[in-house]
Amino acid sequence: MTDVSVEDITEETDSPAETTTAARPFSLSLSTSSIPSTPPITIPSVPSVPPAPPVVAVASVADPEPVAEPVAAAVVKGRIKVADEVVEKVSALAALEVAGVADLGSGLTDAVESIRERAGAGARRGPRGVSAHVQERTVAVDVAIVAEYGHVVMDVANEVKTNVARTVSRMLGMRVVEVNVNVDDVRLPGEDHPEAPAEP
């Protein structure tokens, strides 16, 4: 049996001059006769590691060090050309995202398409209702839309202009210098999409 008596506890503070002793009016007894005897546990010693030296940051205003730029891949020469049809498809999708746009109109693209076919330039690959002119890193876009009845046409056209410019700039990395919006028609409630004329 082990007797442990706690009567005096010395409390130490940060200052060695402030050491106090408090008397406890009770004693604590522990009996180990009911606990089976087990061999003592040994804890292996851990080698001590010397503390790292403190890190001191010094900033110099007069002599700033150059900031290392991330290493980029080797510069490769060449040109990047974005076809007009790519800009037209992106512009068409951006215009159709706007609330109040029922469809793309025909606008001037049908007239240009007929001239193109007569000249033998081949079929148009871009969407109808949109034409784009790319020059270097700038682009000008013409969009023809059909507005839905019940929406303010000028608000819809301004939103189309803004969304087309933002989307083309973000997706293609080009500077949009001009977006012209032509409202060709208004789609009435219950009016279906116009049927394509049957080929003879």
Side-chain angles (χ1 to χ4, degrees):
M1 176 168 170
T2 305
D3 253 349
V4 176
S5 175
V6 178
E7 293 179 6
D8 293 328
I9 297 177
T10 303
E11 295 179 0
E12 292 186 14
T13 60
D14 290 339
S15 170
E18 296 179 10
T19 305
T20 61
T21 303
R24 303 286 181 204
F26 58 87
S27 64
L28 178 62
S29 296
L30 293 177
S31 173
T32 58
S33 60
S34 61
I35 301 174
S37 176
T38 57
I41 300 173
T42 57
I43 299 174
S45 64
V46 178
S48 64
V49 178
V55 177
V56 178
V58 177
S60 174
V61 177
D63 189 31
E65 292 185 27
V67 177
E69 294 294 322
V71 178
V75 177
V76 178
K77 294 182 180 181
R79 291 185 341 169
I80 298 173
K81 180 162 179 11
V82 177
D84 293 355
E85 288 82 9
V86 173
V87 177
E88 291 168 357
K89 286 181 182 181
V90 170
S91 300
L93 292 173
L96 290 171
E97 288 177 351
V98 175
V101 175
D103 200 2
L104 294 176
S106 57
L108 297 175
T109 56
D110 285 344
V112 172
E113 184 64 27
S114 65
I115 294 170
R116 193 177 191 159
E117 287 176 3
R118 289 184 201 149
R124 179 176 176 78
R125 294 183 293 171
R128 68 178 178 84
V130 181
S131 64
H133 178 69
V134 178
Q135 184 175 13
E136 299 286 324
R137 303 276 296 168
T138 63
V139 63
V141 181
D142 294 321
V143 182
I145 62 169
V146 175
E148 290 180 357
Y149 179 81
H151 292 270
V152 179
V153 173
M154 292 304 290
D155 291 346
V156 171
N158 280 326
E159 184 62 28
V160 167
K161 187 184 340 184
T162 302
N163 198 41
V164 166
R166 179 177 39 234
T167 305
V168 169
S169 177
R170 185 182 67 232
M171 290 186 68
L172 301 176
M174 304 177 87
R175 189 169 74 88
V176 179
V177 293
E178 184 176 274
V179 177
N180 300 311
V181 179
N182 299 316
V183 182
D184 281 353
D185 199 2
V186 174
R187 171 99 21 99
L188 299 174
E191 187 177 76
D192 292 333
H193 296 284
E195 302 272 336
E199 293 185 19

